[in-house]
Amino acid sequence: MDTRNLFETRTTYRLLRLEYGLGLIVTAAAFIDHISEVRWIPAIILFAYIDVIGYLPGLITYHRTPGRHVPKVYYVLYNTMHSLAVQGLVVLAWIWWLGFEWALLVVPLHLFGDRALLGNFLKPFAVSFEPKAHPAYTGLRQALETSSKATGEHRQPEVAA
């Protein structure tokens, strides 16, 4: 929400997803507009490798480990592979070595789709690898909602007269 409150309310979370949704729409439109120029083997590999390296190992570990404990290395893999900065560097390296091609649009399609459609963002170590409400966050959210309803305030700044 801000630099002092590093959490999202339902509304700000939906607004973030909406912003990534716009990126998804723009990227999808460019991809569709040039679909006849897409090399499909690189497109499939570029789309899939993000989850093959960054998500599937953690998911398998999550389901195979008693107590669903996932070591931090899987969070790091997920966050690295799902980082717009890292994938931007991958795309730039591809362009530098092999030249631009429309198949590269599947990288932002994947990342924007994860965020906009699935609501998946980077994973903090303090939460479950697979989405599960953390009791501390649930309590905080309920307290904030109760406080806001009880006071009728939405924490808007006051204007001095």
Side-chain angles (χ1 to χ4, degrees):
M1 286 191 12
D2 60 37
T3 59
R4 304 258 184 223
N5 300 287
L6 301 175
F7 61 88
E8 298 298 336
T9 64
R10 290 178 188 177
T11 301
T12 56
Y13 175 71
R14 288 179 182 139
L15 290 171
L16 274 175
R17 289 181 68 182
L18 180 63
E19 288 182 1
Y20 281 103
L22 178 60
L24 178 63
I25 290 168
V26 169
T27 306
F31 185 80
I32 291 167
D33 193 44
H34 296 279
I35 202 156
S36 64
E37 301 167 66
V38 172
R39 290 191 316 136
W40 286 100
I41 299 299
I44 292 166
I45 291 168
L46 285 165
F47 188 87
Y49 96 102
I50 294 169
D51 281 343
V52 168
I53 296 170
Y55 176 61
L56 294 178
L59 178 65
I60 291 166
T61 301
Y62 176 84
H63 285 291
R64 288 190 174 172
T65 305
R68 308 283 195 223
H69 174 72
V70 176
K72 289 182 180 180
V73 66
Y74 296 105
Y75 287 79
V76 172
L77 281 171
Y78 182 91
N79 291 341
T80 300
M81 295 306 295
H82 287 83
S83 163
L84 286 165
V86 169
Q87 294 308 320
L89 292 173
V90 168
V91 167
L92 287 174
W94 184 293
I95 292 169
W96 186 66
W97 283 320
L98 302 171
F100 175 80
E101 62 177 294
W102 293 106
L104 292 169
L105 286 177
V106 300
V107 173
L109 278 172
H110 182 129
L111 299 177
F112 293 162
D114 275 359
R115 287 165 171 79
L117 302 175
L118 304 177
N120 293 330
F121 290 81
L122 302 180
K123 296 182 182 295
F125 294 143
V127 300
S128 173
F129 188 81
E130 283 296 289
K132 179 180 173 186
H134 192 286
Y137 176 74
T138 302
L140 174 62
R141 188 182 71 224
Q142 289 171 348
L144 287 171
E145 289 172 356
T146 301
S147 172
S148 177
K149 289 177 186 174
T151 62
E153 293 181 9
H154 294 287
R155 308 246 189 253
Q156 295 177 352
E158 294 180 12
V159 178

